[in-house]
Amino acid sequence: MTRAPLIRAATPADAPGIAAVHVQSWRDTYAGLIPDDVLARMTSPEMQARREAFWTGNTGAGQDAVFVAEDAGQIVAFASAGPPRDHPGFDAELFTLYSLKAAQGAGLGRDLLRQAAQAMQARGAASLALWVLDTNPTRHWYARQGAHECGEKQDGALRELRMGWSDLGALATPRA
């Protein structure tokens, strides 16, 4: 990346790019962490088409806050947040935060996380949580962003940890 990527609210026209990042990120992140057959199913062309349809509808409806990082006209990362699905005691949930490997390390994840936190704060949320696979090294990144482990759930052989921020104010405030 030669210049700073643009971070902006996603639109339905971004759905193909979001779906492509979503699928490629799963391939890169979860290889060796989840069973091969599950990974193959979750990254199949059929799943990419389903994700594209989902993101078209989701960004069009505007219920969730969805942001993309765009570099040279191409989506390289995205995040989404909205009302919590299964996080008692939290006001909002970070549903997704994915980045292409080539875009990692440039601060895009932190910037997208901040955008999502600001959007949830603007909607009245004071706290935020997410689920992360316990074997996913990204959980340590969330801890460096101020999240704390505050729950777990088992989904078959997979164990997920809840990471949460009790105070969105610190997360939503840009660092100096």
Side-chain angles (χ1 to χ4, degrees), residues 8-19 51-62 64 66 68 75:
R8 59 173 176 78
T11 69
D14 295 320
I18 294 171
R51 290 187 192 278
E52 185 174 330
F54 169 82
W55 288 113
T56 298
N58 185 287
T59 55
D64 298 334
V66 184
V68 295
I75 294 171

Side-chain angles (χ1 to χ4, degrees), residues 67-130:
F67 299 95
V68 295
E70 185 180 359
D71 187 36
Q74 183 172 7
I75 294 171
V76 297
F78 74 98
S80 66
R85 296 173 290 194
D86 61 348
H87 296 286
F90 288 89
D91 301 325
E93 180 175 357
L94 182 70
F95 301 131
T96 60
L97 178 55
Y98 290 106
S99 174
L100 295 178
K101 266 198 185 295
Q104 292 176 0
L108 293 178
R110 185 180 61 245
D111 293 344
L112 284 165
L113 179 59
R114 185 178 308 110
Q115 282 288 125
Q118 289 171 347
M120 293 299 92
Q121 195 174 43
R123 294 181 183 190
S127 59
L128 178 76
L130 70 127

Side-chain angles (χ1 to χ4, degrees), residues 137-153:
T138 304
R139 77 184 174 109
H140 302 294
W141 180 86
Y142 287 115
R144 288 192 304 276
Q145 307 311 309
H148 60 281
E149 292 183 19
C150 50
E152 65 179 74
K153 67 179 178 178

